[in-house]
Amino acid sequence: PSSKCRIEFHEVTKAAVKSAIGNPRSIDMSLVDAQQARRALDRLVGYEISPLLWAKIKKGLSAGRVQSVVTRMVVLREKEIDAFIPEEYWDLSAIGATEKKDKRGFQMSLSTLDGQKASLHCAEDAENAKERVLNASLSVSSVRSSEKRKMPPAPFTTSSLQQEASKKLNFTTAKTMQVVQQLYEGVELKGSGSTGLVTYIRTDSVRLSQEAQADIRAFIPEKFGEEYLPETPNEFKGRKNAQDAHEAIRPTDIRRIPESIKESLSKDQYKLYKLVYDRTLASQMSSAAYETMTAEISGDGVGLRFYGEVLTFDGYRAVYKDSQDEEEVPVSSTLPSIAPGSPVSIREADVKQHFTQPPARYTEASLVRTMEEKGIGRPSTYAPTITTIISRGYVSREQKRLYPTELGNMVTAMMEEFFPEIVDMDFTADMEDKLDKVEEGTEEWKDILRKFYPHFKELLTTAEEQVEKVEIRDEVSDEICDKCGAKMVYKMGRFGRFLACPNFPECKNTKPIQIYIDVPCPNCGARLMEKTTKKNRKFFGCERYPECDFVSWDRPVEEKCPQCGSFMVEKHGKHQELWHVCTNETCRFRKEIPAASEVQDNSEAEEL
């Protein structure tokens, strides 16, 4: 029999499968060995430590070569936040103009004082600086104009797709992988039957095949014009140690425009396919071009700086803006007319208090990015790992942020004490590198196991002897069991926390947790409750339902709209700033709510 018994394809399309069948290859034993090594290591760690957790802490727990490290990452971030001490600082901005007829002026920021970098640590510093700016005799000392070009983002890897889908579509990593798997396996398209819409979805490569690149380059001039096609194909550098076995995630046919198949896709499938399609198309388009201006304004020991940019050619941005594009410096429609030597008059100056912020808690997107950067896990493990640590109760997700639970802290503390290497990020990343070398055929997989297991077995024996049994008491609620009269306790289940009778199994009564918010129902004045849909989406409703049918996706606030009297809700901006927004579509009054650490005029409001 022929030794060529393996077929390989990267997209579930007729052409790709027929081509693979026509070009079979031999089994790559390096790939087999790498898979065996991963499976053996994962089972050694998981099968040996998990029973120890069951015996010493709680049944149903688990440890793992990757999940234990990722749990520790969330725990360590929370410790950083707890230990953080905020420091006060102030910034100063001013509106200036070189001509009296210039009504708009241009905005500058304070850069230097008496030749040193400006550093304002308190209100007194800020007010003194403001007074100096307002009284200074200022002129333009230098103006620099240049052109800036920005390359398009690379096509999606598994990690970057999960991150962008989280930011743009508000998908969890698990949901992203579920939906993109459907697109990969095939969707019934009208007139075409079941068709795979994207290429293989577990990859860390940013490479496009030559055929795909040629198809995209032929399509761009037809759709947008020759100026949108770069002279040579855009190539992207992947991260260090990327396997590159599969190309980037891309549409299987660039001429299959999302809008043309929208009626054959579910809402989520369409959103994700469009995201992949637009990113892939944009990756092969021309760079965006900007005209930039930097002006230094100085006098009497005060230094101010103006920076602005104007988009002169949209390039790839005609198709796609990634989350970094949306967070950058706002692009103006025009640049001010500023000439060296021109006197500058200050029309207004403003100081604002800030406090340094602790490291942000992980979101699923930022956790995936960190896992990728540190070399922890592979593209296929990012989403399952996060799902596991949440379902085990080690980590909770609240408004997209990840928090370690008491159980997560407890398990991590035990792992740090008795299995430090297993939860060490550098050790885990180094192990991934070794497994990659097995895949490349430069390392023997059994040697890795021989070096790992004896020391691991010693740690396991020590832990079994020294770890003391921990008794985790259930948190008692004020809710009374209506079957036996006992005080019910909080339990963690597959779909989150719930109330259960402590006399289980004699009494099997359970209840959902009822969370009330301190805002009366706008319709009837009863209490409002935080509820969840069958798909686990949070909403707010009246406790008197169905007598009162009030519901709101956004959290209502007690304050009424000062313009129309309608109820208002909380909204969070792109940078997590908090707004109170009127729900009346014809009004839409809103006002920003300052953070507790900021000193602002609470009466500031604007009308939409």
Side-chain angles (χ1 to χ4, degrees):
S2 170
S3 62
K4 294 185 176 182
C5 57
R6 178 76 72 193
I7 65 169
E8 181 178 335
F9 51 91
H10 303 267
E11 56 191 73
V12 186
T13 59
K14 185 176 181 180
V17 174
K18 285 180 71 175
S19 175
I21 293 172
N23 297 279
R25 63 166 174 81
S26 302
I27 293 176
D28 186 337
M29 288 308 298
S30 293
L31 294 178
V32 174
D33 290 345
Q35 185 270 341
Q36 290 190 120
R38 285 182 190 281
R39 183 173 62 178
L41 282 170
D42 288 343
R43 289 183 175 178
L44 283 173
V45 174
Y47 287 10
E48 296 276 22
I49 300 181
S50 296
L52 178 66
L53 297 178
W54 302 345
K56 303 293 186 178
I57 299 179
K58 183 181 178 182
K59 286 185 179 180
L61 302 183
S62 66
R65 186 174 61 88
V66 176
Q67 67 163 277
S68 296
V69 181
V70 177
T71 301
R72 181 171 180 249
M73 287 166 61
V74 179
V75 169
L76 290 178
R77 177 58 58 87
E78 196 68 22
K79 287 181 178 179
E80 286 182 64
I81 294 170
D82 290 342
F84 182 82
I85 300 174
E87 295 182 6
E88 180 183 10
Y89 70 98
W90 292 69
D91 62 25
L92 184 153
S93 61
I95 303 295
T98 57
E99 300 176 4
K100 289 184 178 180
K101 62 181 181 180
D102 182 3
K103 294 183 178 181
R104 288 180 56 194
F106 50 88
Q107 185 167 339
M108 304 164 288
S109 58
L110 181 67
S111 57
T112 62
L113 285 172
D114 299 322
Q116 303 293 319
K117 182 179 178 182
S119 182
L120 310 178
H121 296 292
C122 62
E124 184 179 358
D125 290 347
E127 289 301 325
N128 289 339
K130 179 179 177 180
E131 192 69 22
R132 290 187 62 178
V133 169
L134 290 172
N135 294 322
S137 178
L138 301 168
S139 63
V140 180
S141 52
S142 68
V143 178
R144 297 192 309 275
S145 297
S146 63
E147 183 186 59
K148 181 178 83 171
R149 300 189 71 84
K150 184 174 181 185
M151 280 280 289
F156 280 131
T157 61
T158 305
S159 166
S160 58
L161 175 63
Q162 291 172 347
Q163 292 171 52
E164 282 294 280
S166 173
K167 294 173 183 176
K168 284 182 170 287
L169 307 179
N170 205 26
F171 284 9
T172 63
T173 53
K175 181 175 181 177
T176 298
M177 296 311 293
Q178 179 187 29
V179 176
V180 80
Q181 180 80 29
Q182 296 164 2
L183 298 176
Y184 168 68
E185 291 180 353
V187 176
E188 286 290 333
L189 300 182
K190 291 184 178 180
S192 302
S194 182
T195 306
L197 298 180
V198 300
T199 53
Y200 190 64
I201 58 176
R202 295 176 180 87
T203 175
D204 54 8
S205 172
V206 291
R207 171 183 58 84
L208 293 178
S209 68
Q210 291 183 347
E211 296 82 3
Q213 211 168 47
D215 288 344
I216 296 168
R217 286 180 60 80
F219 179 72
I220 290 171
E222 298 175 19
K223 181 78 172 175
F224 301 97
E226 290 289 343
E227 66 272 25
Y228 287 87
L229 181 70
E231 291 184 11
T232 57
N234 292 332
E235 302 288 347
F236 300 92
K237 185 178 180 181
R239 72 174 184 86
K240 183 183 175 184
N241 298 331
Q243 291 184 329
D244 205 53
H246 306 280
E247 60 179 309
I249 303 172
R250 62 166 175 84
T252 54
D253 184 354
I254 200 65
R255 295 180 182 276
R256 192 176 288 116
I257 299 170
E259 288 72 19
S260 69
I261 58 172
K262 187 174 183 178
E263 61 181 11
S264 298
L265 304 178
S266 70
K267 186 178 179 181
D268 289 339
Q269 287 172 343
Y270 171 75
K271 286 181 180 178
L272 203 59
Y273 179 68
K274 187 174 183 344
L275 190 67
V276 173
Y277 182 95
D278 290 349
R279 175 84 163 222
T280 306
L281 185 59
S283 74
Q284 295 304 306
M285 294 176 70
S286 299
S287 299
Y290 303 82
E291 180 187 352
T292 71
M293 176 187 286
T294 304
E296 302 292 344
I297 296 91
S298 60
D300 296 338
V302 171
L304 297 161
R305 177 175 294 130
F306 164 81
Y307 176 80
E309 57 185 43
V310 172
L311 182 68
T312 55
F313 176 63
D314 56 0
Y316 76 90
R317 289 170 63 104
V319 174
Y320 185 84
K321 292 181 185 178
D322 66 12
S323 51
Q324 288 184 338
D325 287 329
E326 295 168 352
E327 293 170 1
E328 288 181 352
V329 176
V331 179
S332 306
S333 55
T334 58
L335 292 174
S337 177
I338 305 176
S342 301
V344 176
S345 60
I346 299 297
R347 293 181 176 172
E348 61 179 87
D350 183 44
V351 291
K352 193 171 185 180
Q353 182 189 38
H354 302 277
F355 289 88
T356 54
Q357 297 297 310
R361 289 184 176 86
Y362 286 112
T363 62
E364 290 194 25
S366 61
L367 187 57
V368 166
R369 183 177 66 247
T370 307
M371 290 172 67
E372 182 182 41
E373 289 172 350
K374 294 186 177 296
I376 296 169
R378 303 301 306 168
S380 59
T381 64
Y382 298 147
T385 298
I386 294 174
T387 299
T388 297
I389 64 176
I390 292 174
S391 64
R392 292 284 185 273
Y394 300 154
V395 170
S396 66
R397 180 176 53 224
E398 298 174 26
Q399 294 184 341
K400 295 181 71 171
R401 303 288 171 183
L402 300 177
Y403 297 75
T405 62
E406 183 182 352
L407 181 62
N409 285 321
M410 190 182 301
V411 171
T412 297
M414 192 209 83
M415 294 291 291
E416 286 176 328
E417 182 177 356
F418 294 98
F419 301 97
E421 291 180 350
I422 300 300
V423 291
D424 181 77
M425 284 177 273
D426 292 335
F427 177 82
T428 305
D430 182 60
M431 184 63 73
E432 289 290 356
D433 288 341
K434 290 179 179 178
L435 293 169
D436 287 344
K437 288 177 181 177
V438 173
E439 195 165 314
E440 295 163 6
T442 59
E443 185 113 16
E444 170 60 41
W445 74 281
K446 291 183 180 178
D447 286 345
I448 293 176
L449 296 178
R450 291 189 187 105
K451 292 174 184 176
F452 173 80
Y453 188 70
H455 179 55
F456 173 71
K457 185 63 178 175
E458 290 176 7
L459 295 176
L460 189 66
T461 301
T462 301
E464 288 171 342
E465 293 172 354
Q466 297 184 9
V467 175
E468 297 182 2
K469 184 172 178 60
V470 178
E471 183 178 356
I472 300 180
R473 295 182 179 276
D474 292 316
E475 182 184 351
V476 180
S477 74
D478 294 328
E479 191 76 19
I480 302 298
C481 175
D482 47 21
K483 292 188 176 179
C484 70
K487 276 195 171 184
M488 303 188 82
V489 296
Y490 294 102
K491 295 280 188 180
M492 177 63 73
R494 181 179 175 188
F495 300 107
R497 297 216 306 168
F498 64 96
L499 289 168
C501 182
N503 294 327
F504 180 87
E506 289 77 16
C507 179
K508 298 180 179 180
N509 189 24
T510 61
K511 291 182 180 181
I513 296 174
Q514 295 181 328
I515 302 173
Y516 295 93
I517 65 173
D518 295 326
V519 177
C521 173
N523 286 359
C524 69
R527 291 183 298 178
L528 288 182
M529 298 174 62
E530 183 181 299
K531 302 181 179 182
T532 54
T533 66
K534 290 181 179 179
K535 293 187 176 181
N536 215 30
R537 184 179 176 187
K538 185 188 295 184
F539 70 98
F540 299 90
C542 181
E543 67 173 343
R544 294 183 60 244
Y545 178 85
E547 289 82 8
C548 176
D549 61 358
F550 172 83
V551 290
S552 172
W553 290 116
D554 299 303
R555 185 187 184 97
V557 297
E558 197 161 3
E559 180 185 15
K560 300 295 183 183
C561 175
Q563 290 189 174
C564 71
S566 299
F567 79 93
M568 300 176 74
V569 295
E570 287 184 359
K571 290 279 190 181
H572 289 273
K574 288 184 178 179
H575 304 290
Q576 294 303 306
E577 67 271 23
L578 178 64
W579 295 83
H580 284 183
V581 180
C582 177
T583 54
N584 184 345
E585 292 291 339
T586 61
C587 176
R588 299 305 282 175
F589 171 87
R590 72 173 185 176
K591 76 173 184 179
E592 187 172 2
I593 306 302
S597 61
E598 294 183 350
V599 178
Q600 292 183 0
D601 182 357
N602 285 339
S603 66
E604 263 188 41
E606 68 174 280
E607 184 180 348
L608 291 182

